[in-house]
Amino acid sequence: MQQPPGSIPTLDLSTARSVDGSFTPGFIEELRNAAHTVGFFHVVNYGAAPTQVDDLFDITRRFFDLPLQDRLALHNRLSPHFRGYAGLGTEITRGRPDSREQIDFSPERAPRTDHPADEPYWLLQGPNLWPRETLPQLEEQAMVWAELMSGVGAELLSAIGVALDLPEDYFTEPFEGTPAWMAKLVHYVGGVVEDAGSQGVGAHADYGFVTLLLQDQVGGLEVLPHGASDWVPVTPVPGALVVNLGEMLEVATEGYLAATIHRVTAPAPGVDRYAIPFFWSPRLDAVIEPVPLSEELRSAARGISDDPENPMLSSYGSNMLKGRARAHPDVTELHHPELVRR
């Protein structure tokens, strides 16, 4: 069923496949409409254990309740791989600080020290920073969640392939072996970062493939669908994932699927907001070629909404490194001054 303009639809992942294992036409139609018209949708019944969401939010709150010196022991300035804790106001979006603190993590892998000079994105690979002594449960629960989200992301990407009239394994190869997913545990705090104003995180598009966001009930996430002039709030649905598509899919489909602009408004002073985004992403060396769209879909493609100040790149690793370097200029200047734009 076609969604009303500006609405954020809800898809039930338990209805995605029929008994013979194929995707159901109804689910594929809902997914195609949501991904093309809004670029954002909720997903429910995705396989979380009964208390998994509540437990993950609880351990996330406990981390941000740790003494500041314990969090700073994991400071991302200690990581040349952009991992670990980022304090309030240290992540930059559109040139302004965000009213949030967070811990970033990705697959636990050894650093690449032998990468070619023209493949600097390999510097993103490396170990995570966790409070293994003060809060050891955080790593365990976060990585179990990442494993679940990897499965959900892969399933949705298979369904997106079918929605584009392609085989369901069309996007599989770039993810084989060492997918470079990224995730965050985020704490938004209003009224603390003076230069941020009402910005929880500034307007942006994600630079991967599929984003799976778990948000609490405070709210504040807003999206700007293609062609819209008004921001649309993404009202929290308890336990649901908020799904949006990244720049890699916009590049691959010439804009038929859009990397929809979104932002987060900071909560009121004294109110805490927690969110856990997961970015299902391919190998760092993956290069995304254009998708062979049918004439029907190509005629509905909007073209790439490229920003000269923030160009989209077909190399996933290059796109990710560009985004990380801009978001954390202090880490970039400390560890990778050669990446700083002159």
Side-chain angles (χ1 to χ4, degrees):
M1 188 172 101
Q2 187 75 31
Q3 295 292 331
S7 67
I8 309 298
T10 297
L11 278 64
D12 185 340
L13 197 59
S14 69
T15 69
R17 292 187 184 266
S18 59
V19 292
D20 66 2
S22 62
F23 283 107
T24 60
F27 181 85
I28 293 300
E29 183 66 19
E30 289 181 9
L31 175 63
R32 183 188 297 111
N33 287 336
H36 174 63
T37 60
V38 185
F40 266 75
F41 50 95
H42 288 107
V43 165
V44 297
N45 295 325
Y46 50 88
T51 65
Q52 189 172 7
V53 169
D54 290 341
D55 291 345
L56 186 59
F57 273 128
D58 179 67
I59 198 71
T60 297
R61 293 186 191 97
R62 288 172 60 190
F63 170 73
F64 290 111
D65 285 342
L66 288 174
L68 180 58
Q69 64 265 28
D70 290 343
R71 285 173 278 153
L72 290 177
L74 311 172
H75 205 293
N76 63 358
R77 291 176 187 168
L78 301 173
S79 170
H81 317 292
F82 297 89
R83 312 287 178 87
Y85 173 74
L88 284 167
T90 60
E91 179 155 4
I92 306 299
T93 307
R94 292 287 179 177
R96 293 180 59 190
D98 297 326
S99 300
R100 60 176 176 170
E101 57 180 342
Q102 63 193 30
I103 184 167
D104 291 275
F105 61 102
S106 286
E108 188 80 26
R109 298 183 182 127
R112 280 281 304 267
T113 58
D114 59 346
H115 62 79
D118 61 350
E119 298 178 3
Y121 48 76
W122 287 113
L123 63 85
L124 294 168
Q125 179 170 301
N128 294 308
L129 298 178
W130 293 109
R132 293 188 171 110
E133 295 184 3
T134 54
L135 195 62
Q137 308 95 316
L138 184 68
E139 178 181 8
E140 177 183 358
Q141 292 190 35
M143 294 304 273
V144 168
W145 181 256
E147 183 177 3
L148 173 64
M149 292 299 97
S150 295
V152 175
E155 179 75 342
L156 285 173
L157 199 53
S158 294
I160 287 170
V162 174
L164 295 173
D165 299 327
L166 301 168
E168 69 172 72
D169 64 352
Y170 182 85
F171 292 109
T172 299
E173 193 282 329
F175 291 80
E176 288 181 337
T178 54
W181 55 261
M182 184 179 71
K184 303 170 180 279
L185 308 175
V186 185
H187 176 211
Y188 291 89
V189 183
V192 175
V193 182
E194 183 176 350
D195 291 342
S198 63
Q199 176 170 300
V201 58
H204 68 286
D206 294 341
Y207 42 76
F209 266 77
V210 178
T211 301
L212 308 170
L213 171 71
L214 193 62
Q215 63 170 340
D216 66 11
Q217 299 307 295
V218 172
L221 175 62
E222 299 175 330
V223 305
L224 189 64
H226 179 80
S229 57
D230 296 321
W231 290 89
V232 178
V234 182
T235 303
V237 175
L241 298 173
V242 180
V243 181
N244 68 279
L245 309 180
E247 292 175 346
M248 290 288 94
L249 282 175
E250 178 166 317
V251 169
T253 64
E254 300 179 39
Y256 180 80
L257 302 178
T260 303
I261 299 294
H262 52 287
R263 68 184 183 186
V264 175
T265 301
V271 175
D272 298 295
R273 178 181 186 267
Y274 298 91
I276 302 167
F278 176 90
F279 307 91
W280 179 233
S281 308
R283 298 186 312 272
L284 289 171
D285 61 353
V287 176
I288 309 306
E289 301 294 342
V291 168
L293 294 176
S294 67
E295 285 302 317
E296 179 183 1
L297 298 184
R298 185 179 300 279
S299 66
R302 294 176 286 254
I304 298 172
S305 55
D306 212 356
D307 179 349
E309 293 298 313
N310 183 31
M312 297 185 191
L313 306 174
S314 60
S315 162
Y316 171 68
S318 298
N319 216 37
M320 184 177 183
L321 180 59
K322 169 177 66 74
R324 303 299 282 157
R326 289 190 173 193
H328 298 283
D330 53 344
V331 177
T332 305
E333 291 176 5
L334 180 62
H335 292 285
H336 311 291
E338 72 280 3
L339 298 178
V340 178
R341 292 200 300 176
R342 304 298 180 184

